[in-house]
Amino acid sequence: MIIKNLKIEKVVFKGLGLGFDSDGAIFVDNSYPGDLLDVKVFHKKGKVRFAKIQKIIKPSHIRKKAPCEVFGLCGGCDWLDIDYSNQLKLKQDIMQEIMGEMGAIQPIIGSEEPIYYRNKSFLPVSTKNGKPIIGIFQKRSHVVIAHKDCKIQPSIYDEIVTEFLAYIEAAKVKIYDEKTGNGNLRHLGFRKSAANGQIIVVIVTKNRKLPFTKQLIN
């Protein structure tokens, strides 16, 4: 079902944009106050509908181009297409609405590192056109979306991913298939210490053995 010319009034809990038509409330992914949109409803719960953007007729004044080639397709983050100051304002508005008449909340304190901040990442491994890929699941799916430069994790993680992909191809490592249960390699994980900068690389497999592990470690 397509709904035309829906105006987003505000952003609410879970970061969803909220608009209204004659039938009631509509919650829209990745939308902001002031957006004028055509949206497609994908779920209905009672009188409440949930939708995703079909077309942006008039964008909110706070929208900007996201600094990521797969933003909106990858499910790894939200709000990368608005400035951090606007992210904090929306969070403040959401929290104030949740607290309601209990009183005003103190201003939210922003992070000193709004990008490249995540110390833990676990990335699924899959294949595309016969080639191994490592990335993040698309929202509401297990389709893996590869990226070149994730803005929410340390850039060295992506450098390691590039090296690891070369190893997968050279060693002909079998990628695990969720549908059939065949294959071995499932995820590549990272943890980084804020204290000393050391990184742990975690390889998640179905079986205990991988080929050419000494070369991989080197």
Side-chain angles (χ1 to χ4, degrees), residues 5 14-15 32 56 77 81-83 89 92 100 106 115 122 129 146 162 173 176-177 184:
N5 298 311
K14 293 188 177 181
Y32 303 114
I56 299 177
C77 69
D81 54 349
I82 61 175
D83 288 330
K89 183 180 184 305
Q92 185 86 20
Q106 295 295 316
I115 59 173
F122 272 77
N129 300 324
T162 300
V173 178
Y176 181 76
D177 187 320
N184 191 18

Side-chain angles (χ1 to χ4, degrees), residues 42-66:
F42 64 83
H43 180 65
K44 190 174 182 180
K45 188 175 182 180
K47 294 183 179 180
V48 176
R49 290 155 292 166
F50 296 86
K52 55 186 177 182
I53 296 173
Q54 191 83 357
K55 180 182 179 182
I56 299 177
I57 300 169
K58 183 180 178 181
S60 168
H61 71 281
I62 66 174
R63 278 189 179 272
K64 67 172 188 176
K65 181 176 174 57

